[in-house]
Amino acid sequence: MNTPSGRVVVVGVDGSPAARAAAVWAAALAARTGEPLQVVHALPEPLYLIADVAVMGQGPAIAQPRRAGANILGEASAAVRLRFPNLDVHTDLVAGPTAPALAVWGATARMIVLGTGKPRGVGSLAAGSTATLSSTTPGGSP
């Protein structure tokens, strides 16, 4: 993980359309305030729980989520750069869980931006995610 330094606008992305919209919204804010944008994706929780010895034997299984996370970061930053080509954009693939990983960035950030879609199905009621508490996607101008 990169070390947070200075004021940045941080956006957490998970590959969803709402997260890409949040990245573009956060980019608009960063462009307006003249601060860089930090796009962050947290690896799935089981990956940070695996002991180092187990990691060595499960390299291919662990590599796939890392590739997927890198793709998610690439897609979000590409969407941002398309709309804000002069914006200073950085990406970071971090170990989960998501909330503490974003909190590290949030300690020095101007703002943390998250996007969420409307929860679907019975499982969403028990999700326990703070993101499911607000079912609106970022919209309008920051």
Side-chain angles (χ1 to χ4, degrees), residues 43-91:
L43 291 170
E45 291 186 24
L47 291 181
Y48 73 86
L49 294 174
I50 298 174
D52 290 342
V53 173
V55 168
M56 291 187 295
Q58 298 179 6
I62 292 170
Q64 193 283 330
R66 288 188 179 278
R67 280 192 302 273
N71 287 340
I72 288 168
L73 288 171
E75 290 171 4
S77 61
V80 164
R81 287 183 174 113
L82 184 64
R83 302 247 335 246
F84 302 93
N86 297 323
L87 185 63
D88 187 13
V89 180
H90 304 273
T91 61

Side-chain angles (χ1 to χ4, degrees), residues 83-115:
R83 302 247 335 246
F84 302 93
N86 297 323
L87 185 63
D88 187 13
V89 180
H90 304 273
T91 61
D92 197 11
L93 184 62
V94 299
T98 303
L102 287 173
V104 169
W105 278 103
T108 58
R110 170 180 282 276
M111 178 183 293
I112 297 177
V113 178
L114 302 172

